[in-house]
Amino acid sequence: MNSSSADLFNHLKSAKPFFVLAGPNVIESEEHIFKMAKHIKHITDKVGVPLVFKSSFDKANRTSSKSFRGPGLAEGMKILEKVKHAYDLPIVTDVHESYQCEAVGKVADIIQIPAFLCRQTDLLVAAAKTGKIVNIKKGQMSAPSVMANSVEKLRLAGNHNVMVCERGTMFGYNEIIFDPRNLERMREANLADITHSLQQPAGEKLEGGGVASGGLRELIPCIARTAVAVGVDGIFMEVHDDPLSAPVDGPTQWPLRNLEELLEELVAIARVTKGKQQFRIDHTPFRED
C-alpha cells in the first residue's frame, strides 16, 4: 500500500471540521484551471479547511454526444500535474475505463469512480491497484447498502483507503433526492456531493431540440448545511467563476464569488454539531423521582 496515500487518507479523515474536494467540473483550458486552483486554494486556506483540487479530463457520460467533454487523458493529466506542483495541492479526478487508472494514478492522489460506474468490478480493481485513495460515488440507482460491496471489491484488491460519496438517488425521471440518512449508512471516509445532488438529469430542453441536465443551484446551501450538521468527513462541490457560461453542469456549479461565504457558514455549523458522534439513546422507561 502506498504510504503517502495512507497518510493523506488519514489526514483527510481526521480533518476538523471537514475537508473539501472542489474545482470546476471539467478542464476547460490550462489558464482556467490555474485561475480556479489559485482562488479556491486562497479561500480554503483562509477558511481553514484542507483542499483536494478537482477537475475532470473527460466527461464520458454526458447527456448528449455533442456536449463538451474536456481535453482527454494525456493533455488533461499534464495540466493537472502542473497545477498540483504549482500550488502544492492534492488532486482528484475521475476515470471511466480500467486502462485509464494507471496513467491517472501517476498524478492524482485520489481516483474517483463516477456514480454510474460504482459497481464496475474491473474498474474498481484497476483503481485499487494504483495504491491511491479511491473515492466511489454512490450510484443514483443504488441503495446505500450496495456500496458495501463496492468497498469490499477494493479491499480484496489490497486497497483500504476508500471514500464513499453520497450524490443523491433518482426519484422518477428528472429528479434526484438527497437522503441524509445515507450519510449515516455509509460511514467510510464519507463525503456529500452537494452540487450533483441537485442535478435534474435530462431535465432542461434545448432550443432546436434535445435535452441537457438542469439543476437547482439555489438549494446547494440547503444540502450543504444538512450534510455538515450530520457530520460528514468531507464536502464535494464543483465551483466555477462563471457558472452561467460553464460548458458542463453549469446549473449545479457553485459560484466562486460565493464560495468563501458558504464555507465560513459550514465551518460555523460544524463547530457546534455533534453529528460525527453516535447518539446514545436511552430506552429505559422514564420515571419521575
Side-chain angles (χ1 to χ4, degrees):
M1 178 55 60
N2 189 319
S3 60
S4 62
S5 291
D7 290 343
L8 177 61
F9 180 83
N10 292 330
H11 171 67
L12 296 175
K13 176 72 175 172
S14 61
K16 296 190 185 330
F18 52 82
F19 64 91
V20 176
L21 273 62
N25 182 290
V26 65
I27 299 170
E28 298 173 29
S29 68
E30 183 173 320
E31 179 184 8
H32 185 252
I33 284 295
F34 269 76
K35 174 184 177 181
M36 293 300 298
K38 173 186 173 182
H39 288 290
I40 294 174
K41 178 177 170 57
H42 174 75
I43 291 168
T44 54
D45 283 350
K46 183 177 180 182
V47 174
V49 292
L51 170 67
V52 181
F53 185 72
K54 183 270 171 184
S55 198
S56 300
F57 59 83
D58 181 22
K59 305 303 294 185
N61 57 348
R62 296 299 84 195
T63 304
S64 169
S65 61
K66 299 177 183 178
S67 297
F68 178 76
R69 288 182 53 167
L73 177 61
E75 182 62 24
M77 296 315 298
K78 286 180 183 178
I79 292 172
L80 290 177
E81 186 171 25
K82 290 179 182 179
V83 170
K84 175 177 181 170
H85 293 305
Y87 294 106
D88 191 25
L89 282 171
I91 296 292
V92 56
T93 194
D94 35 13
V95 293
H96 295 88
E97 299 187 58
S98 300
Y99 80 86
Q100 297 173 337
C101 292
E102 183 178 359
V104 170
K106 292 177 179 177
V107 175
D109 302 274
I110 302 176
I111 296 177
Q112 184 164 283
I113 306 298
F116 282 139
L117 302 175
C118 69
R119 296 174 57 174
Q120 294 294 103
T121 301
D122 290 346
L123 182 62
L124 291 167
V125 170
K129 288 183 176 179
T130 65
K132 298 303 180 77
I133 299 168
V134 181
N135 178 35
I136 316 173
K137 292 283 194 78
K138 184 188 77 66
Q140 305 93 314
M141 62 291 181
S142 299
S145 57
V146 169
M147 299 311 293
N149 292 347
S150 295
V151 170
E152 184 68 10
K153 291 175 183 180
L154 292 164
R155 289 179 173 163
L156 289 174
N159 194 329
H160 292 263
N161 296 327
V162 185
M163 298 176 174
V164 178
C165 185
E166 168 61 25
R167 60 95 75 218
T169 304
M170 289 298 297
F171 189 82
Y173 289 118
N174 305 119
E175 289 288 347
I176 292 178
I177 300 298
F178 181 88
D179 186 348
R181 296 176 300 176
N182 291 347
L183 300 175
E184 287 289 345
R185 292 164 174 162
M186 301 189 302
R187 280 289 187 187
E188 302 296 326
N190 68 333
L191 297 97
D193 183 337
I194 63 172
T195 50
H196 285 104
S197 295
L198 289 160
Q199 271 185 341
Q200 294 178 308
E204 187 174 289
K205 292 184 178 180
L206 301 177
E207 292 184 15
V211 294
S213 291
L216 303 169
R217 182 177 15 253
E218 67 275 11
L219 294 179
I220 289 173
C222 172
I223 300 299
R225 292 163 181 151
T226 301
V228 167
V230 171
V232 290
D233 296 313
I235 294 290
F236 178 100
M237 62 189 306
E238 290 182 338
V239 180
H240 202 282
D241 57 323
D242 186 11
L244 295 183
S245 299
V248 177
D249 283 355
T252 52
Q253 297 206 61
W254 186 247
L256 179 63
R257 284 186 178 276
N258 299 117
L259 179 60
E260 183 176 341
E261 179 184 7
L262 178 59
L263 288 179
E264 284 180 343
E265 181 183 347
L266 297 181
V267 167
I269 292 171
R271 284 175 176 159
V272 297
T273 183
K274 294 184 178 179
K276 289 188 179 183
Q277 300 177 21
Q278 188 70 37
F279 202 99
R280 300 177 67 178
I281 301 174
D282 187 348
H283 294 95
T284 59
F286 175 78
R287 305 190 196 288
E288 293 187 18
D289 295 335

